[in-house]
């Protein structure tokens, strides 16, 4: 068995509890008509979704937009999600 840090164990436990307490949220990423990322619309959409108290949120993951975003856009979506979540629930950012 691999040893993990106390901090990592805490994150794992929080994610486990969140996933057991509510549905998982895979919010749609908002884009403008010209295809550019629309973070203002995303903030509003995400805030509305988080009012439903999901167990965890997975930004830019699961609805296909991961492959449509460049690295800076992806970072912006994840950063915005962390800001809006404000520690209320786990935010899981995928890599790939």
């Amino acid at each position: 068995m691999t040893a993990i840090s106390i901090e990592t164990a805490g994150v794992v436990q929080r994610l486990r509890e969140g996933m057991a307490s509510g549905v998982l949220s895979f919010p749609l990423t908002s884009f403008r008509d010209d295809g550019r990322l629309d973070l203002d619309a995303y903030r509003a959409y995400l805030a509305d979704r988080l009012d439903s108290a999901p167990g965890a949120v997975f930004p830019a993951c699961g609805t296909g937009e991961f492959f449509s975003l460049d690295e800076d856009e992806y970072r912006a979506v994840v950063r915005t999600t962390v800001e809006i979540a404000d520690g209320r629930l786990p935010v899981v950012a995928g890599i790939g």
Side-chain angles (χ1 to χ4, degrees):
M1 175 174 261
T2 305
I4 61 173
S5 71
I6 292 172
E7 181 178 330
T8 301
V11 170
V12 169
Q13 182 60 30
R14 184 155 184 227
L15 181 58
R16 189 176 287 139
E17 290 168 1
M19 292 173 70
S21 70
V23 299
L24 304 179
S25 178
F26 294 83
L28 299 173
T29 302
S30 301
F31 293 92
R32 295 187 170 108
D33 289 339
D34 64 3
R36 292 185 309 139
L37 183 62
D38 188 343
L39 285 178
D40 290 334
Y42 179 71
R43 281 184 184 93
Y45 175 80
L46 181 62
D48 186 57
R49 300 283 92 57
L50 296 188
D51 285 347
S52 299
V57 63
F58 294 74
C61 177
T63 57
E65 70 271 39
F66 177 83
F67 298 102
S68 300
L69 300 170
D70 65 27
E71 289 181 34
D72 290 334
E73 291 170 325
Y74 181 72
R75 260 189 223 99
V77 170
V78 172
R79 187 178 302 114
T80 299
T81 305
V82 170
E83 290 170 5
I84 299 296
D86 195 27
R88 294 178 288 167
L89 72 161
V91 174
V92 181
I95 59 170

